[in-house]
Amino acid sequence: MENLKDEAVLSQLSESVKAISGLPECRTVCKKMYCNLVRRVKLLSPLVEELKDREEGDELGNDVVMGLESLRIALDSALELLKSVVEGSKIFQALQVDKIACKFDNATEQIEAALSQIPYNELDIPDEVREQIELVHAQFKRAIGRMESPDLQLVMDLAAAQMEDDPEPIVFKRLSEKLHLRNINDIKQESVAIHNMVISCGGVPDGVSEEYFETVSYLLRKLKDCVMMGNQDLDASETEKGSIKHRSPVIPDDFRCPISLELMKDPVIVSTGQTYERSCIQKWLDAGHKTCPKTQQTLLHTALTPNYVLKSLIALWCESNGVELPKKQGNSRNKRSGVGGSDCDRAAINALLQKLANGNPEQQRAAAGELRLLAKRNSDNRVCIAEAGTIPLLVELLSSPDLRTQEHAVTALLNLSIHEANKGIIVNVGAIPDIVDVLKNGSTEARENAAATLFSLSVVDENKVAIGAAGAIPPLIELLCQGTPRGKKDAATAIFNLSIYQGNKVRAVRAGIVPPLMRLLKDPGGGMVDEALAILAILASHQEGKAAIGQAEPVPILLEVIRTGSPRNRENASAVMWSLCTGNSQYLKIARELGAEEALKELSESGTDRAKRKAVSVLELLQRVEELVIS
């Protein structure tokens, strides 16, 4: 029985090695990583073959079998990664190369860990095979964490293609060469790869927004134009043009409406997840039907959600095949803010509302992600989403155990809060404690967006009190200390706005905010000097804040800012200095000993109006101290 298990493991392992060894050549930006992994896996073949050819009845030990099984699992995972690269979109891989490099590193680490589990000394194999496997193992070990250097020209060209209004044609010419999209057949294969990726994911891949997918579509269109203008691969191009004139291209089944079997112009999704042409499914619904035509399942609701991704794919396919592009529908928008969104967006919002209310966790996560994008898009959508009643449902999702769902929900609320009337709705449904909880326990991006949401809500004065009382300030300080550069700025902005309320100044000081602010102030390279000084200036107006700042020995650094800082920072530094020196001769003496008079005189002549006033006031205080000393 054990022997049968050994044979099964070895057979599966052999198939995995053969499948990886037989993969085709890779022509994407991941080629080097792909080739390295395939080459190393090929070198494992002698070990597998030796074990398969061992003498009958020679059973493998349990440790060996467990190690080989782990290796099989690791190789199967690597095979999926390699196939996704060789068959996938070249453009998508270029944009995601860092993430894909991490996947290759993870695959390498898994294989190395599995090889570490195999006790080679227990294997009856020739010395040369053992030596080869040990060398391969060493190669896998060395490869862990060794990321390939990025192609800087490719990175710059991709950035230029996305960010510049009218990039130079040479940019797309270089991208065409680098991505191996050199003729119309390459473009068609790329279009198919994008289509297959979207269909297999049921939309766009995890962690990729619809806006990101639009970037992929845009780059493909521009590269197609570049190929056509360059007249590359002339014979193939002429053949394509001739064939287009004489025959109609075959429409992919996924692009056909299941009802009319015609190419869809305005694809929409029903509650079962099936996509139809809008006019066809609307007629079906108007006739009184309550089921999905394709699956016969009862529809949970009759809202129709635009399938933007498929619509983009159809447009790409039409351009690549010389088919007249479907006319755009539902494009008229009421541009007046607050009047309401387009019919298309209203339908999408209603459908997403149903998923939030009645869907399973996966559907709720996807719906929150869609609402996040819709709320970001324009003010009309923000009004519609709030009017549809989604805000209470999004607030409920802030408590979801799924971190990605939390992230979508809090970011959707952030985008909704941009519309002034929505701030009150968000607060009135009791969102603040849940947002604070996300700020404490969410993912990195969720914590950052929670901080930004609290700032947005704190624009309303009465909300400052509620946010402070909910315990927001300590986790904001933690984010200020440990967050990403963006997270630190979000936290600082929120703390500043909250500290306009006196009670929150006390909370911030007692939570220990002054020492980290001073550290930020002493680190100009950290990019947080402006924010740190602004917060210190507002805290210094309270007695507890003033005392805490004084304990941090701030005078030397404040004077340095007054001498060399930006106009706004000089203003805030002088305000902090004035607060410290008013009624406290100790700080005045320290300032005089450090040569403050010269710096303050210069500021009183060249600073902002507020800086001039503060500088003059401190100079007057210094003058009085000097007179007292003389007398």
Side-chain angles (χ1 to χ4, degrees):
M1 199 68 175
E2 287 296 325
N3 200 39
L4 289 175
K5 181 180 179 182
D6 296 354
E7 294 304 322
V9 170
L10 286 169
S11 177
Q12 293 168 349
L13 188 57
S14 176
E15 289 300 317
S16 298
V17 173
K18 286 179 181 176
I20 291 174
S21 302
L23 286 171
E25 180 188 0
C26 177
R27 295 199 307 159
T28 76
V29 293
C30 300
K31 179 177 180 178
K32 191 171 182 180
M33 293 181 286
Y34 176 99
C35 291
N36 284 340
L37 184 54
V38 170
R39 174 178 53 77
R40 294 184 188 115
V41 171
K42 283 182 179 178
L43 294 173
L44 297 174
S45 183
L47 170 65
V48 179
E49 295 309 312
E50 281 291 337
L51 294 176
K52 282 183 70 178
D53 293 342
R54 72 191 187 286
E55 292 183 10
E56 189 175 346
D58 185 6
E59 293 185 1
L60 301 174
N62 285 335
D63 290 344
V64 173
V65 174
M66 288 177 64
L68 293 174
E69 177 63 11
S70 296
L71 180 59
R72 181 193 65 79
I73 293 170
L75 291 181
D76 285 350
S77 177
L79 177 60
E80 289 302 311
L81 172 61
L82 292 164
K83 286 171 66 177
S84 71
V85 167
V86 77
E87 297 170 1
S89 159
K90 296 172 180 177
I91 296 173
F92 185 80
Q93 289 177 45
L95 293 170
Q96 294 273 306
V97 67
D98 288 342
K99 291 184 179 179
I100 295 172
C102 288
K103 291 181 179 180
F104 271 97
D105 193 52
N106 289 337
T108 300
E109 191 171 352
Q110 288 177 17
I111 295 171
E112 191 280 326
L115 289 171
S116 296
Q117 293 180 41
I118 301 172
Y120 304 120
N121 59 329
E122 295 182 16
L123 301 178
D124 184 16
I125 55 176
D127 290 342
E128 61 268 22
V129 173
R130 179 179 284 104
E131 288 171 3
Q132 177 173 327
I133 297 304
E134 288 174 349
L135 286 172
V136 176
H137 187 182
Q139 288 180 20
F140 274 107
K141 186 174 292 186
R142 283 197 303 271
I144 295 172
R146 294 176 64 181
M147 301 290 192
E148 299 294 335
S149 300
D151 184 329
L152 295 180
Q153 185 64 62
L154 176 62
V155 171
M156 289 190 291
D157 285 342
L158 284 170
Q162 295 174 72
M163 296 174 66
E164 295 179 12
D165 291 336
D166 189 18
E168 293 291 327
I170 189 64
V171 169
F172 292 104
K173 173 71 172 173
R174 285 196 298 262
L175 286 174
S176 173
E177 290 296 322
K178 293 265 187 184
L179 301 180
H180 295 276
L181 297 173
R182 296 166 178 158
N183 57 52
I184 195 64
N185 284 328
D186 291 339
I187 295 293
K188 284 193 172 185
Q189 289 174 14
E190 175 68 7
S191 180
V192 169
I194 295 171
H195 168 247
N196 290 339
M197 175 180 67
V198 171
I199 295 302
S200 65
C201 296
V204 293
D206 287 342
V208 178
S209 68
E210 179 189 314
E211 293 166 333
Y212 197 96
F213 179 81
E214 289 172 359
T215 299
V216 176
S217 302
Y218 161 76
L219 289 174
L220 181 57
R221 286 195 299 272
K222 298 297 289 186
L223 287 167
K224 173 180 174 290
D225 292 343
C226 173
V227 167
M228 297 298 287
M229 289 293 292
N231 202 26
Q232 298 179 35
D233 198 357
L234 184 60
D235 292 339
S237 296
E238 291 302 320
T239 302
E240 291 296 331
K241 290 176 184 176
S243 64
I244 288 171
K245 288 179 183 176
H246 293 97
R247 63 174 173 81
S248 298
V250 178
I251 301 172
D253 290 340
D254 296 312
F255 293 175
R256 295 178 183 271
C257 172
I259 297 174
S260 67
L261 300 181
E262 298 293 330
L263 181 68
M264 287 185 279
K265 295 177 173 61
D266 188 9
V268 293
I269 306 168
V270 298
S271 66
T272 60
Q274 298 297 322
T275 296
Y276 299 91
E277 172 63 30
R278 180 184 290 277
S279 59
C280 295
I281 191 64
Q282 194 62 61
K283 286 179 183 176
W284 171 268
L285 296 173
D286 291 344
H289 297 291
K290 304 293 184 185
T291 58
C292 172
K294 189 170 182 179
T295 67
Q296 298 305 309
Q297 292 176 271
T298 301
L299 295 171
L300 296 176
H301 54 80
T302 57
L304 305 176
T305 305
N307 192 333
Y308 298 114
V309 172
L310 188 59
K311 191 171 184 177
S312 295
L313 282 174
I314 291 171
L316 280 172
W317 180 85
C318 289
E319 285 188 33
S320 297
N321 288 276
V323 176
E324 184 178 354
L325 285 169
K327 293 179 181 178
K328 294 181 179 179
Q329 298 181 5
N331 224 16
S332 60
R333 283 183 174 273
N334 191 331
K335 295 291 183 182
R336 289 177 296 156
S337 175
V339 174
S342 66
D343 290 339
C344 245
D345 286 343
R346 283 187 183 278
I349 290 162
N350 288 332
L352 294 170
L353 173 65
Q354 294 299 322
K355 289 181 181 178
L356 284 185
N358 305 312
N360 58 38
E362 187 175 333
Q363 291 171 324
Q364 289 179 326
R365 180 175 67 241
E370 286 293 323
L371 286 168
R372 167 184 181 171
L373 292 172
L374 284 171
K376 182 180 180 181
R377 196 164 288 161
N378 57 57
S379 59
D380 289 348
N381 282 353
R382 293 177 200 120
V383 173
C384 286
I385 290 169
E387 288 178 348
T390 57
I391 287 177
L393 297 172
L394 287 169
V395 171
E396 286 183 20
L397 291 183
L398 294 176
S399 304
S400 168
D402 180 68
L403 293 181
R404 187 67 171 161
T405 301
Q406 274 188 7
E407 182 184 306
H408 285 328
V410 78
T411 310
L413 290 170
L414 168 61
N415 295 336
L416 288 170
S417 72
I418 295 170
H419 183 67
E420 201 65 27
N422 289 346
K423 297 185 199 301
I425 300 173
I426 293 168
V427 172
N428 289 338
V429 298
I432 288 176
D434 293 311
I435 296 171
V436 171
D437 193 56
V438 173
L439 177 65
K440 292 176 181 176
N441 305 308
S443 66
T444 299
E445 185 174 350
R447 293 175 67 207
E448 293 171 353
N449 290 338
T453 307
L454 292 174
F455 163 70
S456 178
L457 296 176
S458 69
V459 170
V460 180
D461 283 342
E462 54 263 35
N463 293 345
K464 293 179 175 67
V465 181
I467 293 169
I473 290 176
L476 283 171
I477 294 173
E478 183 180 347
L479 186 61
L480 180 68
C481 295
Q482 301 175 5
T484 65
R486 178 197 155 194
K488 289 180 178 180
K489 291 203 178 275
D490 287 334
T493 308
I495 292 169
F496 175 83
N497 215 40
L498 290 170
S499 295
I500 293 171
Y501 169 61
Q502 288 286 88
N504 288 336
K505 288 181 185 151
V506 176
R507 289 188 175 101
V509 170
R510 292 178 181 175
I513 192 172
V514 171
L517 289 176
M518 293 305 299
R519 286 195 293 273
L520 294 173
L521 197 55
K522 294 173 183 176
D523 178 24
M528 292 292 294
V529 171
D530 297 7
E531 291 82 357
L533 269 170
I535 297 171
L536 285 169
I538 203 167
L539 294 178
S541 64
H542 190 278
Q543 192 59 39
E544 283 195 44
K546 176 178 171 179
I549 294 169
Q551 291 172 8
E553 300 182 354
V555 176
I557 186 69
L558 291 173
L559 285 175
E560 181 63 24
V561 174
I562 288 171
R563 292 187 181 102
T564 63
S566 66
R568 179 66 183 276
N569 286 346
R570 295 175 80 198
E571 176 184 312
N572 282 325
S574 64
V576 177
M577 181 74 80
W578 176 81
S579 293
L580 291 171
C581 291
T582 301
N584 194 311
S585 59
Q586 177 187 352
Y587 295 124
L588 286 168
K589 290 176 182 177
I590 295 172
R592 191 179 62 177
E593 289 170 2
L594 293 172
E597 287 188 63
E598 182 180 350
L600 288 166
K601 282 179 182 176
E602 195 278 328
L603 182 63
S604 69
E605 296 170 356
S606 62
T608 64
D609 289 343
R610 179 170 176 249
K612 287 178 181 178
R613 291 196 303 272
K614 297 298 182 183
V616 168
S617 296
V618 178
L619 282 169
E620 289 175 353
L621 293 171
L622 286 169
Q623 183 66 33
R624 289 178 199 165
V625 169
E626 189 172 346
E627 290 171 357
L628 288 172
V629 171
I630 294 172
S631 62

